[in-house]
């Protein structure tokens, strides 16, 4: 199978190790990967901030970059949720890009969904002897429904001790520009999330969206906590290599 990697801005600039982990996991499943060099931002930041005209121009370049791809895989659920939910609205008066956006949506998958639904893989032969809890990010949960795929993958990791997270579905307080515009509320929300994580006694908190994990990791480090924060691709990759 051939697939193209949509790496996202935050992964490229802040968490390249997650992209590398995703590539290693998928290549072990026999996927032939490429990286369209013209890809840039999908337009989500501008879109979420209300700058729809600017977002539309960015999105056109993004769509063109992946037009020739057969399948697209991304580690970031929030970016994919924005594409799936808003591209059809963004291009409702542009027939050419409306058709292209619908085509893009059909062939683009979040990493865990791609493993379970497309490759039909729930067991990657990983072993991870740690206590693990899971933060369910808003966009992947509500727009994409990826939680069931993450659970299926974690269930088949040997020696992993899964501990449910209280209020798993509650936002961590990041929300992109929300955390900048309303920092006091954002801080209160991430404090509550971190308190729930620490209450589990877990060694690792895993998730599917890098912006949320960045927010949680920052607050954990601020409090001096030793809990590791990992993307699901990192956990699987580390488990497959040990």
């Amino acid at each position: 199978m051939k697939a193209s990697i949509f790496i996202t801005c935050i992964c490229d600039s802040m968490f390249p190790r997650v992209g590398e982990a995703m590539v290693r996991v998928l290549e072990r499943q026999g996927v032939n990967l490429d990286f369209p060099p013209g890809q840039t931002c999908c337009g989500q930041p501008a879109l979420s901030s209300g700058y729809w005209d600017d977002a539309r121009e960015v999105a056109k370049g993004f769509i063109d970059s992946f037009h020739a791809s057969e399948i697209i895989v991304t580690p970031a659920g929030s970016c994919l949720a924005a594409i799936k939910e808003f591209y059809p609205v963004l291009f409702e008066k542009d027939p050419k890009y409306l058709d292209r956006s619908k085509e893009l949506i059909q062939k683009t998958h979040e990493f865990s969904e791609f493993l379970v639904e497309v490759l039909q893989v729930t067991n990657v032969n990983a072993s991870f002897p740690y206590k693990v809890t899971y933060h369910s990010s808003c966009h992947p949960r509500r727009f994409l429904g990826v939680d069931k795929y993450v659970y299926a993958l974690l269930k088949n990791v040997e020696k992993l001790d899964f501990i449910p997270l209280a209020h798993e579905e509650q936002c961590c307080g990041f929300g992109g520009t929300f955390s900048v515009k309303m920092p006091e509320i954002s801080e209160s929300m991430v404090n509550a999330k971190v308190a729930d994580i620490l209450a589990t006694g877990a060694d690792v908190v895993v998730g599917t969206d890098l912006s949320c994990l960045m927010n949680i990791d920052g607050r954990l480090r601020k409090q001096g906590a030793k809990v590791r924060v990992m993307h699901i691709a990192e956990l699987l990759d580390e488990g497959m290599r040990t």
Side-chain angles (χ1 to χ4, degrees), residues 3 12 18 65 71 98 132 168 177 236 238:
D12 182 50
V18 174
S65 296
I71 295 176
L98 179 60
V132 176
E168 173 193 276
T177 55
L236 297 177
E238 183 174 315

Side-chain angles (χ1 to χ4, degrees), residues 39-135:
Q39 64 178 285
T40 57
C41 179
C42 67
Q44 185 203 26
L47 182 64
S48 299
S49 299
Y51 297 100
W52 282 49
D53 290 339
D54 296 317
R56 191 174 293 109
E57 293 307 308
V58 175
K60 285 181 179 179
F62 178 82
I63 292 170
D64 291 341
S65 296
F66 287 96
H67 185 60
S69 300
E70 297 177 14
I71 295 176
I72 305 162
V73 187
T74 181
S78 62
C79 294
L80 180 54
I83 290 170
K84 286 182 175 287
E85 292 296 316
F86 293 107
Y87 271 23
V89 180
L90 201 60
F91 295 110
E92 61 184 354
K93 296 180 180 179
D94 186 332
K96 175 184 174 181
Y97 278 95
L98 179 60
D99 289 342
R100 286 194 172 189
S101 67
K102 289 179 178 178
E103 178 186 334
L104 180 83
I105 288 168
Q106 291 300 314
K107 62 184 180 182
T108 306
H109 305 273
E110 183 272 335
F111 168 74
S112 62
E113 179 223 345
F114 180 71
L115 274 175
V116 176
E117 283 290 326
V118 180
L119 297 183
Q120 296 290 296
V121 171
T122 56
N123 190 340
V124 298
N125 296 315
S127 178
F128 196 77
Y130 300 98
K131 295 178 181 178
V132 176
T133 193
Y134 171 59
H135 166 62

Side-chain angles (χ1 to χ4, degrees), residues 163-217:
I163 304 172
L165 180 65
H167 314 115
E168 173 193 276
E169 76 289 350
Q170 289 189 6
C171 178
C172 72
F174 183 69
T177 55
F178 169 81
S179 62
V180 178
K181 295 177 179 178
M182 301 183 179
E184 294 85 3
I185 298 175
S186 175
E187 182 177 356
S188 177
M189 293 171 74
V190 75
N191 281 338
K193 178 61 65 175
V194 164
D196 285 338
I197 292 169
L198 294 176
T200 66
D203 305 301
V204 175
V205 56
V206 68
T208 61
D209 202 273
L210 291 168
S211 56
C212 300
L213 294 179
M214 177 179 67
N215 190 40
I216 291 169
D217 186 56

